[in-house]
Amino acid sequence: DGPPFAAYFTNEAGGRSLEQKVPERKTFTQANRVKSHERFQEVYGKGRSYVDSYGVFYVLPSDNGQCQLGTAVGKRLGHAVLRNRVKRMMREVFRQEQGKLKRKAAIVWVARRRLAHAPYEVYKDVFYRLAKKAGLL
């Protein structure tokens, strides 16, 4: 009749199906990145900008049918470790929240100095505020 844990993976004997137990996987793959200098310049030049005191979104409809994110953090923000931390936080917020975006767009998120020492919740708030301004939510 199968292994004793088979009921866990099926609906037999009141067990839950695997689809109900495992949450949707959130990823940030190569396809989700704005990487090349040319693509950054295209989003800067042709995209619309949405400004906040913590950052700026440049938004352009996506070429590949996926949400994409590029991050930009200037040297004036701080040393390399701090800049990399800011970029990691920006990517993590995007990874968590990209499923909620209504439109597929290429976004370049430029951080401002106030974002440097902010907690994760502020990054999330900034992302929501700018995405809402851009009509992505």
Side-chain angles (χ1 to χ4, degrees):
D1 196 35
F5 54 83
Y8 181 76
F9 294 104
T10 65
N11 282 330
E12 299 171 17
R16 294 183 180 173
S17 69
L18 185 60
E19 291 81 28
Q20 292 171 338
K21 192 65 178 170
V22 177
E24 180 184 336
R25 186 177 170 110
K26 297 174 181 166
T27 60
F28 186 68
T29 62
Q30 295 290 330
N32 296 117
R33 299 169 198 234
V34 175
K35 290 176 56 170
S36 70
H37 177 73
E38 291 79 19
R39 183 67 173 149
F40 265 90
Q41 294 307 314
E42 183 182 3
V43 175
Y44 279 131
K46 296 180 183 175
R48 287 213 44 210
S49 63
Y50 302 92
V51 180
D52 188 330
S53 60
Y54 287 92
V56 181
F57 264 20
Y58 291 90
V59 180
L60 189 67
S62 182
D63 287 346
N64 68 356
Q66 292 197 6
C67 290
Q68 296 177 299
L69 177 73
T71 57
V73 181
K75 287 187 179 182
R76 291 179 58 200
L77 200 101
H79 52 83
V81 174
L82 180 63
R83 293 194 311 267
N84 288 334
R85 179 185 170 277
V86 169
K87 289 187 280 190
R88 279 195 310 272
M89 297 278 269
M90 293 161 80
R91 284 193 302 265
E92 179 61 17
V93 169
F94 178 78
R95 184 184 74 83
Q96 291 286 335
E97 308 302 330
Q98 68 180 334
K100 297 176 183 164
L101 299 178
K102 291 188 297 190
R103 293 187 305 146
K104 304 299 182 193
I107 302 166
V108 172
W109 187 356
V110 181
R112 289 194 170 166
R113 192 172 284 170
R114 293 180 67 185
L115 201 57
H117 298 286
Y120 178 78
E121 290 76 29
V122 172
Y123 284 82
K124 207 169 176 180
D125 291 343
V126 170
F127 180 84
Y128 274 118
R129 196 166 37 248
L130 291 172
K132 196 168 205 166
K133 276 187 182 181
L136 298 174
L137 289 177

